[in-house]
Amino acid sequence: MHITFSFEIARVKRLKKGSGLPIQAPCIDLIEAGAGGGSIARIDNMGLLKVGPDSQGAYPGPPCYGLGGTEPTVTDADLMLGYINPDYFLGGEMEIFPDAATEAIQTKIAEPLKIPDIQAAWGIHELVNETMAAATRLQLSERGKDPRNFTLIATGGAGPVHAFHVARKVGLHRIVCPPAAGLGSSLGLVTVPFKVDTVDSSIALLAEVDLPKLNTLLNDREKKCHDLLKAAGVRDREIRIQRMADISFEGQGYPLTVQIPAGKLVSSHLEVIEKTFYDRYLEEHGRAIKDVPLQIFGWRIFGVGPTPEVKFNFSNFPSRGGKNPLKGSRRIYLPETKGFRKVNVYDRYLLRPGQKFKGPALIEERETTTVIGSRSSFSVDKTLNLIIEL
Amino acid sequence: MARKGIDPITLEVLWSRFIAIAEEAAREIIRTAFSTTVRESHNFAVVILDPKGCAISQAGWALPSYVGALPLTAKALLKIFPGETFGPDDLVLTNDPWLGTGHLQDLTSLQPIFFKKALVGYIGITSHVTDMGGKLRSPEVRDIYEEGLQLPPCKFMENGEVNPQIISIIRANVRVPEQVEGDLIAHMSAGKLAVNRIQAMLEEYKLKNLDGVATTIFQRSENAMREAVKKVPDGEYRFHVSTDGYDEPLIIRTEVRVRGSSIVVDYTGTSPQVDRGLNAALNYVFAYSAYSLKCLFCPGVPNNEGGFRPITVTAPEGSILNPRYPAPVNGRSMVGQFIPSAIFGALCKAVPHLVQAASGNPTWALNAAGVDKQGHRFAGNFFLNGGQGASRDHDGISCLSFPSNTSNTPIEILEHMVPLLVERKAIIRDSGGSGQFVGGNGQQVIVKSLSDVQLLLSFLSERTRHPAYGLFGGKNGRVGKVTLNGRPINPKRQWVMSPGDRLVLEVPSGGGYGEAKDRNRDAVEHDLREGLLSLQKARADYNYDGDFSGAANT
């Protein structure tokens, strides 16, 4: 997970920096892709297939809802590809019309492009994946991160249907699908440790930093973190302090946040900081300029309490298993074979920690289906997260 | 339109990927660049090119002048350094204004993309570095030699090793050597990233090279452009615009000839070249001409070689739009950015629904430099945008860069870089040309020197005498003005700012579109409410008879 210190919400323009409202507080760095199950597929004036960014709302919704929608959407394509079970949409509560999906894709996409229906359906799925993958890559590279060290968290209705192929495109090796995805943020709030962040912006060259003054500042901020955490009920010995600095080469506009040594800083520490920065910079950008002084943007002190012991008891997940999670099989489209193949379908609610299975497979739950492709395995951890390794 | 080879879906995926890769490389440049012109104002471009130097895709926030010129630069560089002279970690560099983008401050690099030992294309990057030596950027110069270091095409990097002689020549000639070298490293980091991504894409889609995809992209884009041009009635459409020039106005005369699916833009009759930095090399002229036409006819098609093919641009040799070496060129935007106004003016009868009234351009800039008492040298250039011209169904946007794509430099950055205090930065009320759709307002910026030494000032400025025209009854925009301590000055010249001096810049506004009497009453009240329009002007120009109490009137 990546924490960002400056985040934007309510962007007016998709992916457009500066078009939203800034939050200058640490946030989980969310990536906005603007593509989903309702994204509409159409053909543009160059005879190319486009998916989104315009989206079909819930009513009349995708043609497969049978409510009068005629524009083919990603959900229709997912249905045609076998990824969504028409008999178990919203746990079987909502009737779905596969023929309407096929007809929309056939007449609006496949026939004009003179391609087979199934290729059109896969094209829609693939394109929306490409949009999500492009957004992911862009944000990763903006932060200079290697995708292999990241985990894709897939939630919502369409997320788990597409996560596998997005991860493969981006080069991510791990996907986590939390249970009760719809409640993600409120559950998260009670499971994270108490944390206090302080930041002092101060622009100066690293070499010219006034160390006695800095030590006073850092001490003061550490004490403040302790006081606030203690006031929240955290015991003194459980508090961990992290110290960071925002640094760039002099003249650059985008700092990297790097760790600085603990305790009283003396002049020899400046070299340590310089080396930490230099190594991080090379790691992120591949090449660095020599002999340019380093510039400090600010200092960050974090105080962190212990991770609370929380045990969830989801009513729809049986607490003691025993039943076989394999509920049947279904034919789905596998891109590597360019055809359909029968794969196992598992019941998400019956998967137990410690069990491990191989892809390709489908995992069904009420709100979504997780699609798992070839050359992969999956299991659940003790808090019932579904972990996919690829 | 299905053709053999690539199916339309794979094509769309690959095409999106090409654009995404260029975007990713663009982000890398912003993250690593030193020059504020690059990282804050986005004066750079990343283009992915095929082995012949034809543009396949570009990053979205690139400048039109760079995007249009870069493929021409690439083709010229490949004549000097043919493909077989490239190794995987080489970088060819130049700032030649005639081969490149029209002035020395832009460095253009070409980095090869190798895949399985074969050369499959190039990454082209242009960025505007903080300094290239010479006189502070000002149209006052008399020839190219005054403008700074000229770097003819050279192998700046070979096998991943930067040529130490070239870098030391550059460093010796520029005022901020670390920043300029840092900006060159940004080219390398971004190029490397884009090369890696393209290799991964070729691997993923089991392709040998880019050729099949590139050809298809070019063909489809060309077809789309030709289809759009076919809808324009054949004919010769003429227009001319005047610029302030240095002392005397300069004329840009254009004839746009539409025949079937092809367009020729001919600048015969344009003013002869001048011995001030107000000449634009033909690459730059081509770029803005092609951009104007693409905005009119095919805005939705991503930029690439194909879209340029139906377009021919000619300008008489020895004119301000095709000057002979060693003409001074550093204020080339002060003539070249008038091109859209000339072309839109010419085509306003043919396609009245597509054109836009003239904008309060070219993009203005304030350059300030000096040496403080501690001996630290400081320099910075800061961009200020005027009001955009209105069009058939839209007001012009205030303070928007057109036709360039340059962001305003934030006040915080300006104040951090040079000892200036920005006392005021505000939209100038009532300045946009009235009309059914109103021209965008310009801005006023008041700057005070906090320095204890003298600062050297120069500007890019225009339309202080020749306003942006309105169309179809819309009024002209307001002209711009520069005053130093209350006295109007000729901003084409260099000036000295003494401690405590106050400088006021008023950037021009855009022209209106359509008769003011046809403006929707809600729109008039909206502008009153937002403080963009005064009650007096609402009464005078729009016959507004309401009693708008919400107006912050003066």
Side-chain angles (χ1 to χ4, degrees):
Chain A
M1 191 183 294
H2 182 262
I3 302 291
T4 180
F5 300 105
S6 170
F7 193 72
E8 268 182 56
I9 56 162
R11 280 187 182 164
V12 177
K13 194 158 182 276
R14 187 161 69 104
L15 302 176
K16 177 84 181 165
K17 257 197 159 159
S19 71
L21 302 170
I23 300 179
Q24 299 288 348
C27 296
I28 295 171
D29 206 355
L30 295 176
I31 291 170
E32 174 191 30
S39 296
I40 293 172
R42 72 201 138 71
I43 294 169
D44 76 356
N45 64 344
M46 284 186 292
L48 292 171
L49 176 61
K50 299 278 174 187
V51 180
D54 46 333
S55 165
Q56 187 76 269
Y59 187 86
C64 67
Y65 285 10
L67 301 172
T70 56
E71 302 302 318
T73 68
V74 170
T75 301
D76 297 296
D78 291 341
L79 190 63
M80 258 184 94
L81 296 166
Y83 300 153
I84 297 175
N85 182 353
D87 302 324
Y88 192 67
F89 202 76
L90 270 183
E93 287 164 31
M94 185 168 160
E95 196 183 350
I96 284 295
F97 303 86
D99 291 349
T102 307
E103 197 198 322
I105 289 175
Q106 189 176 60
T107 57
K108 296 268 166 93
I109 307 292
E111 284 170 4
L113 289 181
K114 301 190 179 72
I115 55 174
D117 297 354
I118 208 67
Q119 197 189 340
W122 172 251
I124 296 169
H125 182 90
E126 161 100 331
L127 265 174
V128 83
N129 289 350
E130 182 67 23
T131 306
M132 294 183 201
T136 311
R137 281 192 213 100
L138 202 59
Q139 304 267 358
L140 282 170
S141 80
E142 189 174 352
R143 297 180 174 84
K145 303 292 180 186
D146 184 338
R148 283 169 299 188
N149 303 329
F150 277 72
T151 295
L152 184 65
I153 298 181
T155 68
V161 182
H162 291 265
F164 189 89
H165 291 120
V166 171
R168 191 145 269 174
K169 266 182 188 295
V170 179
L172 300 163
H173 290 179
R174 215 169 124 92
I175 303 168
V176 172
C177 304
L183 296 171
S185 52
S186 41
L187 281 181
L189 194 63
V190 299
T191 60
V192 292
F194 281 109
K195 186 165 183 244
V196 176
D197 296 352
T198 74
V199 56
D200 287 87
S201 75
S202 106
I203 295 193
L205 294 183
L206 180 64
E208 292 172 7
V209 163
D210 181 338
L211 282 173
K213 236 169 113 180
L214 176 63
N215 281 318
T216 312
L217 175 85
L218 298 180
N219 278 341
D220 177 72
R221 295 300 181 252
E222 284 185 28
K223 189 175 172 308
K224 192 167 182 183
C225 289
H226 271 274
D227 291 349
L228 284 167
L229 286 171
K230 275 193 280 186
V234 181
R235 276 172 301 203
D236 219 13
R237 60 185 167 80
E238 289 176 329
I239 296 172
R240 280 181 302 120
I241 296 287
Q242 290 174 325
R243 314 199 318 164
M244 321 278 271
D246 291 348
I247 310 180
S248 78
F249 287 111
E250 186 188 14
Q252 286 183 314
Y254 291 81
L256 292 174
T257 302
V258 300
Q259 193 134 8
I260 59 170
K264 188 181 166 197
L265 293 180
V266 294
S267 56
S268 63
H269 283 132
L270 297 183
E271 274 168 46
V272 178
I273 296 173
E274 201 171 324
K275 184 164 182 339
T276 314
F277 170 80
Y278 205 79
D279 292 346
R280 267 289 304 286
Y281 194 92
L282 281 180
E283 202 180 295
E284 304 221 345
H285 301 300
R287 195 180 269 270
I289 180 165
K290 292 185 189 73
D291 307 325
V292 175
L294 300 189
Q295 173 176 277
I296 299 285
F297 283 64
W299 308 96
R300 298 179 181 276
I301 303 294
F302 309 140
V304 191
T307 307
E309 281 289 323
V310 180
K311 198 168 169 349
F312 290 113
N313 202 347
F314 297 105
S315 59
N316 46 1
F317 286 81
S319 52
R320 235 172 272 110
K323 279 173 91 177
N324 186 355
L326 184 63
K327 66 189 253 192
S329 65
R330 187 157 83 237
R331 283 162 59 77
I332 64 167
Y333 184 81
L334 288 177
E336 51 274 24
T337 64
K338 291 195 171 18
F340 280 81
R341 207 186 112 183
K342 201 182 249 189
V343 304
N344 288 337
V345 180
Y346 295 87
D347 184 335
R348 170 85 190 252
Y349 307 112
L350 297 177
L351 289 173
R352 292 184 307 280
Q355 290 179 312
K356 193 163 184 167
F357 303 94
K358 278 198 165 8
L362 296 169
I363 301 166
E364 288 184 351
E365 60 193 292
R366 187 177 174 278
E367 297 87 356
T368 189
T369 303
T370 307
V371 176
I372 298 170
S374 313
R375 288 175 287 124
S376 65
S377 64
F378 62 95
S379 56
V380 293
D381 70 7
K382 63 179 196 294
T383 52
L384 301 173
N385 290 308
L386 177 62
I387 317 274
I388 304 159
E389 309 275 352
L390 35 23
Chain B
M1 296 277 298
R3 52 176 59 75
K4 271 201 279 185
I6 282 183
D7 69 87
I9 288 163
T10 310
L11 175 64
E12 172 59 19
V13 171
L14 294 175
W15 198 338
S16 319
R17 185 77 67 89
F18 272 121
I19 295 169
I21 291 170
E23 301 271 351
E24 222 184 316
R27 303 264 175 142
E28 178 68 8
I29 291 196
I30 292 173
R31 302 277 309 163
T32 54
F34 283 70
S35 144
T36 59
T37 321
V38 174
R39 66 178 159 87
E40 304 293 341
S41 304
H42 300 160
N43 265 26
F44 70 92
V46 180
V47 177
I48 300 172
L49 304 142
D50 78 356
K52 295 190 188 107
C54 298
I56 302 173
S57 78
Q58 61 157 101
W61 33 13
L63 297 194
S65 53
Y66 293 179
V67 171
L70 229 162
L72 302 172
T73 316
K75 287 173 191 129
L77 290 174
L78 290 175
K79 275 194 196 137
I80 302 165
F81 297 97
E84 59 271 20
T85 64
F86 275 92
D89 283 308
D90 289 2
L91 183 149
V92 162
L93 188 68
T94 188
N95 71 347
D96 182 318
W98 279 263
L99 298 180
T101 60
H103 71 178
L104 297 175
Q105 285 80 7
D106 292 337
L107 283 170
T108 297
S109 69
L110 209 54
Q111 299 175 71
I113 310 164
F114 277 85
F115 182 64
K116 301 195 168 149
K117 302 208 165 113
L119 181 75
V120 296
Y122 299 90
I123 307 298
I125 298 175
T126 298
S127 72
H128 183 137
V129 297
T130 302
D131 188 56
M132 250 311 131
K135 217 166 168 168
L136 195 58
R137 189 181 178 193
S138 156
E140 204 175 45
V141 291
R142 292 290 190 169
D143 58 34
I144 187 94
Y145 306 105
E146 282 190 58
E147 296 186 351
L149 173 72
Q150 298 183 55
L151 193 68
C154 59
K155 267 274 177 78
F156 178 73
M157 180 165 79
E158 208 151 14
N159 289 324
E161 293 293 324
V162 170
N163 183 316
Q165 279 123 32
I166 300 174
I167 192 68
S168 67
I169 290 171
I170 295 174
R171 290 186 64 119
N173 277 281
V174 302
R175 295 177 179 86
V176 279
E178 291 80 17
Q179 293 198 14
V180 174
E181 188 179 349
D183 286 340
L184 277 167
I185 289 176
H187 280 227
M188 300 172 205
S189 304
K192 185 94 192 151
L193 186 139
V195 167
N196 290 344
R197 294 287 190 264
I198 287 178
Q199 289 164 339
M201 178 183 85
L202 290 168
E203 197 80 59
E204 183 182 339
Y205 286 90
K206 299 188 173 54
L207 297 170
K208 279 202 196 72
N209 53 46
L210 310 176
D211 299 351
V213 195
T215 311
T216 317
I217 287 176
F218 300 157
Q219 197 57 55
R220 290 203 181 219
S221 307
E222 180 179 349
N223 290 347
M225 186 73 183
R226 289 198 184 279
E227 284 305 312
V229 175
K230 268 189 210 162
K231 295 190 186 120
V232 183
D234 280 3
E236 286 93 42
Y237 303 98
R238 294 182 198 91
F239 197 70
H240 74 273
V241 290
S242 298
T243 80
D244 293 352
Y246 191 79
D247 291 315
E248 295 299 316
L250 299 172
I251 307 289
I252 293 171
R253 199 173 290 282
T254 186
E255 181 178 271
V256 182
R257 295 191 286 273
V258 182
R259 291 269 183 291
S261 67
S262 300
I263 285 198
V264 177
V265 183
D266 183 344
Y267 293 102
T268 301
T270 292
S271 297
Q273 71 183 68
V274 289
D275 59 354
R276 297 289 188 175
L278 297 173
N279 303 292
L282 197 55
N283 276 6
Y284 188 81
V285 173
F286 173 83
Y288 270 124
S289 305
Y291 174 70
S292 308
L293 295 172
K294 183 151 180 311
C295 285
L296 287 179
F297 302 131
C298 236
V301 176
N303 271 319
N304 61 66
E305 199 76 13
F308 296 149
R309 283 181 185 158
I311 301 167
T312 310
V313 176
T314 65
E317 212 187 325
S319 70
I320 53 170
L321 297 184
N322 188 6
R324 290 190 192 93
Y325 186 85
V329 291
N330 74 12
R332 77 343 184 180
S333 61
M334 296 300 102
V335 288
Q337 286 189 21
F338 279 89
I339 285 172
S341 296
I343 290 179
F344 293 170
L347 288 172
C348 75
K349 295 227 169 58
V351 286
H353 55 298
L354 298 178
V355 295
Q356 154 182 311
S359 295
N361 55 16
T363 303
W364 280 33
L366 162 65
N367 303 302
V371 182
D372 68 19
K373 285 201 169 145
Q374 287 73 47
H376 292 141
R377 187 177 285 283
F378 54 81
N381 51 353
F382 305 97
F383 293 103
L384 306 156
N385 291 310
Q388 185 198 22
S391 51
R392 189 182 63 162
D393 44 15
H394 278 91
D395 291 343
I397 296 169
S398 297
C399 309
L400 179 89
S401 184
F402 183 87
S404 192
N405 204 8
T406 303
S407 307
N408 286 302
T409 313
I411 294 173
E412 293 81 354
I413 299 295
L414 185 154
E415 292 181 345
H416 179 65
M417 300 280 294
V418 291
L420 290 172
L421 175 73
V422 177
E423 293 185 327
R424 181 181 158 90
K425 181 178 167 91
I427 285 176
I428 305 172
R429 181 192 300 176
D430 290 344
S431 62
S434 300
Q436 184 185 359
F437 292 92
V438 184
N441 289 310
Q443 58 177 312
Q444 185 194 53
V445 175
I446 303 180
V447 179
K448 189 180 158 186
S449 171
L450 299 180
S451 175
D452 47 10
V453 294
Q454 290 195 325
L455 299 178
L456 200 54
L457 296 181
S458 72
F459 308 90
L460 294 177
S461 70
E462 254 298 338
R463 295 199 194 276
T464 62
R465 281 174 282 175
H466 296 87
Y469 62 74
L471 279 178
F472 307 114
K475 294 279 192 301
N476 293 343
R478 206 175 94 157
V479 294
K481 193 160 100 180
V482 181
T483 62
L484 186 58
N485 296 327
R487 285 191 321 277
I489 58 171
N490 177 2
K492 293 284 187 341
R493 289 178 42 203
Q494 283 199 7
W495 293 85
V496 168
M497 197 176 189
S498 298
D501 278 1
R502 188 171 271 113
L503 177 75
V504 181
L505 296 151
E506 289 182 5
V507 186
S509 324
Y513 188 110
E515 300 283 348
K517 64 178 170 51
D518 296 330
R519 187 162 178 78
N520 176 314
R521 189 183 169 100
D522 289 346
V524 172
E525 293 190 338
H526 169 270
D527 291 351
L528 285 165
R529 202 163 45 241
E530 295 291 320
L532 301 170
L533 177 69
S534 67
L535 195 53
Q536 291 94 311
K537 195 174 185 193
R539 298 223 194 285
D541 285 18
Y542 298 100
N543 297 323
Y544 180 73
D545 55 5
D547 178 21
F548 190 81
S549 52
N553 208 1
T554 49

